[in-house]
Structures are given as structure tokens and as C-alpha cells.
Amino acid sequence: MDRRRRTLAALLAVVALLLAAVLGVVLLLTSLGRDDTGTPGAAGRSTSAAAPAPASIPTGYTRYDADGFSLGVPAGWKPEPVRPGVVDIREPNSSRFLRLITVGSTASALDQLTAAERQFGANPDYAPYRRIRLEKVSYRSYDAAEWEFTFTSRNSLRHVLYRGVVVGGRSYGLYLSVPDGRWAESQAAFRTAADTFRPAGG
């Protein structure tokens, strides 16, 4: 009887872990949502080498404390909560924004973004969708991946870069969405956010 109980307990533990992983991916997909033009709610090779600590906030940026982390965002951009764990930092009188996402998940960053892409690419509202890249990235000692793509919404071509980061059993998303014609000038906002990203307690 004791052996049966131990076996049952072990099976229940495995099931619980699997459900937690699935739930994490579902939460990530729902947090993507749509931006005001129709986007979802995040290069290189992964390494285990330690990387520099978060950078200090540069001139022209200000610190923003999100759900479970802080980072630098362009001064003058305004936070607009979307739902629990999701906030957009928007440039006034513009469609450019940074979306900051926090969900609980044990799935890898690449698995989460791959699942998100499948859902997004199958939605005709986002057509034509074009993947530029979807891959693991080297980002400090974190489990991280990036998804870069374009899509058309309201007759406007959008360019998106989404970095997913898994730290301490939680998943964080840094997501930049801008008109494709403003992509080059907008990369500094994403780079600063990534360079200054600091998880709570980190």
C-alpha cells in the first residue's frame, strides 16, 4: 500500500509540474493581447558566460518600476496599464510603444515565444505576417529568446521586437512595437530597456 501511495504521489507531482508549464504558456499568450494597431502582447547564440550587470539609466531616459522588475524607458513616454502584469509605455501622439509583461511560467523563453508565434501567425487579422527571426539569445546568465517580425495592421506595416526572459520561475517580456519606417530610430529605446532591465532582488 505504501508503495502505491508513493507512486501515486510521484505521478501527481509530475502532473502538477506539467500543468504549471502549460499554464505559464497560456498566460503568456493572453498577456500578448493586441496593441492599438493589432500586434500581440517578445540574435545570437545562448551561452552560460556571465555578462555585465544592468547598466545605469542614461540621459533622456527614466526608471520605470514594472511588475517584478525595473528598467529605463524614454523620458516623456507615458505608462498605460493594459491588464494585470501588462503595461504599455507609449510615446505621446505616436503609435510607438514598449510593452512590459510579467507572467509566472516554468517553460523556456524560446518555447513560450514559439507558441506565441504559432497563435499569432494563424490569425488572419495580422496578415501578412513575416518572421525575421526567432531564436535564443545570450543575455547575461538568463534564459532568453527574441522574436522579431513585421505585420500589417490598418494598412500600416508594423515592426516588432520581443525579448522573453525567464528568471527565478517568472517570465518577463520586453516588447517594442513601432511603424516599420521608424524602426532604425526606435532601436535605442529597446536596447536601453534591455541594458537596464533588473529583476526584483537582482
Side-chain angles (χ1 to χ4, degrees), residues 103-106 166-171:
V103 297
S105 178
T106 58
V166 180
V167 185
R170 301 192 83 190
S171 295

Side-chain angles (χ1 to χ4, degrees), residues 30-112:
T30 57
S31 71
L32 298 183
R34 293 181 61 138
D35 65 26
D36 60 354
T37 59
T39 63
R45 286 154 292 281
S46 177
T47 69
S48 59
S56 58
I57 307 297
T59 301
Y61 290 78
T62 186
R63 172 176 165 150
Y64 181 79
D65 292 304
D67 183 8
F69 65 99
S70 66
L71 75 177
V73 300
W77 289 29
K78 306 298 184 183
E80 294 184 7
V82 178
R83 60 184 65 86
V86 183
V87 62
D88 288 349
I89 311 296
R90 293 185 173 274
E91 181 181 39
N93 304 313
S94 168
S95 64
R96 294 198 303 172
F97 68 92
L98 277 164
R99 175 164 291 171
L100 310 177
I101 301 169
T102 307
V103 297
S105 178
T106 58
S108 74
L110 185 59
D111 285 348
Q112 292 183 58

